Amino acid sequence: MTVFVKNIILMVAMLLAAGLTVMLRPTASLADDRGRTDLEMMMPKVIGEWQEQPNLSSVVINPEQKHMLETLYSDTLSRTYVNSEGYKIMLSIAYGKNQRDGMEMHKPDICYPAQGFEILNKDVVSFELGGGKKMIRANQMVTRNRDRMEPLMYWTLVGTQMFNSRLEKKYYEFTYAMRNKVADGMLVRVSSIDADTTHAFDMQSRFVKQMYNVTSGNTNVRLFGESKD
């Protein structure tokens, strides 16, 4: 079977799953099974070479207004980390207990332009974590607001599955709905103010790799999803 045929079959399966998800109305919450999510407690204040700087939290661009945050998300976290070189990484995590239509998390593609940012470039990149234990696919964006250049990368999860398209998200929601579970979701974003985008993405990847290494167990799965191997 050719790769093209396999992709067509997979797409048809995902479309069917997306349609069936609309008809299924799960009544139990995956979030209740997983226990309370407290991002402040979950995230370490030291990530490899990076140390949290609480007094710098104000430099994190909050992509949603307060009332929208309270409606869409069950918990959010915004922190700034700095290393010995003085390089600052902004980390933002948003968690929502219910990812049904109308309650979905808002991606940076939407909320950054709403805050006056221009998206100059967008790409999807893959890189290894944990010395090859896991492969991550993240969205990279270069944004600008006047003189402020803010390259960023982010990824999204539904339940314990990382996804890169709406169709893929619907497929995973269907697999949970078949178990009578309403899926939860998480968006993880790292960014930095840096006009040198290549340098910015190198530093962000370095931070993400160290974040993977210092987290374990349930926290690691919540942030990076289940390994497929």
Side-chain angles (χ1 to χ4, degrees):
M1 187 182 297
T2 66
V3 173
F4 175 76
V5 173
K6 288 181 179 178
N7 288 338
I8 291 295
I9 292 173
L10 180 61
M11 182 174 293
V12 171
M14 285 187 170
L15 286 170
L16 289 173
L20 288 172
T21 302
V22 175
M23 294 185 286
L24 293 172
R25 291 294 175 187
T27 56
S29 172
L30 180 64
D32 292 338
D33 293 346
R34 303 175 81 176
R36 180 171 175 266
T37 297
D38 187 335
L39 297 175
E40 183 66 33
M41 294 292 293
M42 180 188 299
M43 292 306 301
K45 297 183 184 297
V46 177
I47 296 178
E49 67 188 282
W50 310 85
Q51 172 77 46
E52 182 199 8
Q53 296 291 295
N55 59 320
L56 296 180
S57 60
S58 61
V59 304
V60 179
I61 292 294
N62 195 332
E64 300 289 348
Q65 302 207 359
K66 187 174 184 296
H67 71 281
M68 288 296 291
L69 280 169
E70 293 174 347
T71 300
L72 292 173
Y73 304 128
S74 310
D75 195 16
T76 60
L77 176 76
S78 293
R79 284 186 187 168
T80 298
Y81 290 82
V82 62
N83 67 1
S84 60
E85 303 167 9
Y87 196 87
K88 298 178 181 67
I89 292 286
M90 295 173 284
L91 171 68
S92 178
I93 305 176
Y95 170 75
K97 294 176 65 175
N98 185 346
Q99 285 303 292
R100 283 174 171 166
D101 291 340
M103 297 296 291
E104 297 173 324
M105 64 190 82
H106 283 195
K107 297 180 180 180
D109 313 57
I110 298 172
C111 52
Y112 263 70
Q115 295 292 323
F117 282 81
E118 178 186 3
I119 298 177
L120 303 180
N121 188 52
K122 182 180 177 183
D123 200 2
V124 177
V125 296
S126 300
F127 56 92
E128 291 183 343
L129 300 174
K133 293 180 181 177
K134 184 176 180 61
M135 179 70 71
I136 185 176
R137 295 185 72 227
N139 298 278
Q140 281 186 342
M141 289 169 49
V142 178
T143 70
R144 178 178 63 194
N145 189 342
R146 298 182 182 179
D147 295 332
R148 175 184 176 127
M149 291 285 291
E150 187 175 339
L152 64 95
M153 70 168 61
Y154 75 91
W155 61 91
T156 48
L157 300 102
V158 57
T160 60
Q161 303 298 326
M162 194 175 293
F163 66 91
N164 290 96
S165 69
R166 184 172 178 82
L167 186 59
E168 196 175 8
K169 176 178 182 289
K170 288 297 182 184
Y171 171 76
Y172 289 129
E173 286 178 341
F174 168 73
T175 63
Y176 285 111
M178 288 293 290
R179 292 151 49 191
N180 192 36
K181 299 294 183 184
V182 177
D184 57 0
M186 187 173 288
L187 186 150
V188 183
R189 185 190 82 225
V190 295
S191 64
S192 51
I193 301 173
D194 193 339
D196 184 342
T197 57
T198 299
H199 179 248
F201 289 136
D202 285 345
M203 296 297 280
Q204 291 169 20
S205 298
R206 197 159 111 188
F207 177 84
V208 171
K209 289 175 181 179
Q210 292 178 27
M211 185 166 73
Y212 180 86
N213 290 338
V214 302
T215 56
S216 60
N218 184 56
T219 296
N220 188 275
V221 172
R222 300 295 291 271
L223 293 170
F224 298 98
E226 290 180 331
S227 297
K228 302 214 186 308
D229 47 26

